[in-house]
Amino acid sequence: MEKIRLNMTVNGKEIDVLTEPRQLLAHVLREELKLTGTHIGCETSHCGACTIDMNEMSVKSCSVFAAQAQGANITTIEGLGTPDGLHLLQEMFKEHHGLQCGYCTPGMITRAYRLLQENSNPTEEDVRFGMSGNLCRCTGYQNIVKAILATAEKMSEMKESA
Ligand code: FES
Ligand code: FES
């Protein structure tokens, strides 16, 4: 099949990738760009494991053709934190035991990132509603919600002391 060339900004870097028009964004991120932090669970837009941030929106990358991301600004979990410099959400997930097997975690954290960008002072209900497109089969959600609320609290403390 003839390939198409796409340009996009991924984790702050401009990239140029050749791919087939039928390819899903999740596969291009993982296989062409080696950003394997974006996980694939259901591939039917139900589980949220493949959630990324695209043009300031949470997007399930298994339900988007890579071609639809032409010119887009994308952030994956690799763009939020590094092993030596965790994002505050990653620190809070660690501190509040917001993960067990970790399979859902990159999607949870990229979704929580956008949720907190949109609402920096969410209630527990806001968090539960905002995260309802992301499924976890291990944690029972309680600690994920706690970790996100703790992140919001720390963010507001940091703002006040700035
Ligand atoms: S793999 Fe994309 S929503 Fe499940
Ligand atoms: S921590 Fe295992 S699926 Fe969420």
Side-chain angles (χ1 to χ4, degrees):
M1 187 179 287
E2 201 177 323
K3 294 200 168 184
I4 52 172
R5 183 173 295 281
L6 301 173
N7 301 289
M8 49 186 104
T9 303
V10 180
N11 299 331
K13 279 191 213 139
E14 272 192 43
I15 62 109
D16 198 53
V17 65
L18 259 187
T19 187
E20 291 178 11
R22 67 179 179 89
Q23 277 293 10
L24 296 172
L25 182 56
H27 292 290
V28 168
L29 290 171
R30 288 179 54 84
E31 288 154 30
E32 310 288 345
L33 305 180
K34 310 298 178 206
L35 294 170
T36 53
T38 297
H39 290 167
I40 295 175
C42 64
E43 258 188 319
T44 52
S45 80
H46 284 97
C47 75
C50 65
T51 305
I52 56 151
D53 204 71
M54 180 164 122
N55 296 336
E56 304 189 353
M57 279 187 294
S58 293
V59 165
K60 291 177 175 174
S61 59
C62 75
S63 57
V64 175
F65 286 116
Q68 293 174 279
Q70 165 62 25
N73 189 10
I74 288 173
T75 304
T76 66
I77 189 69
E78 290 89 346
L80 287 182
T82 64
D84 295 330
L86 295 182
H87 188 277
L88 183 56
L89 273 163
Q90 290 168 318
E91 277 179 23
M92 291 300 103
F93 267 64
K94 192 173 154 202
E95 193 173 313
H96 293 275
H97 309 288
L99 65 147
Q100 287 181 28
C101 80
Y103 201 83
C104 69
T105 313
M108 287 285 177
I109 288 180
T110 47
R111 171 60 199 138
Y113 166 77
R114 180 52 49 197
L115 189 156
L116 293 178
Q117 294 289 309
E118 289 167 353
N119 178 2
S120 60
N121 187 22
T123 61
E124 178 175 340
E125 200 184 344
D126 294 335
V127 171
R128 288 185 182 274
F129 181 74
M131 298 300 295
S132 58
N134 290 67
L135 304 182
C136 174
R137 65 181 188 176
C138 305
T139 64
Y141 301 100
Q142 195 63 26
N143 289 348
I144 291 175
V145 173
K146 251 194 231 168
I148 296 169
L149 289 170
T151 306
E153 206 177 305
K154 288 235 178 228
M155 279 166 53
S156 119
E157 283 167 17
M158 281 154 65
K159 229 189 249 170
E160 275 168 25
S161 65

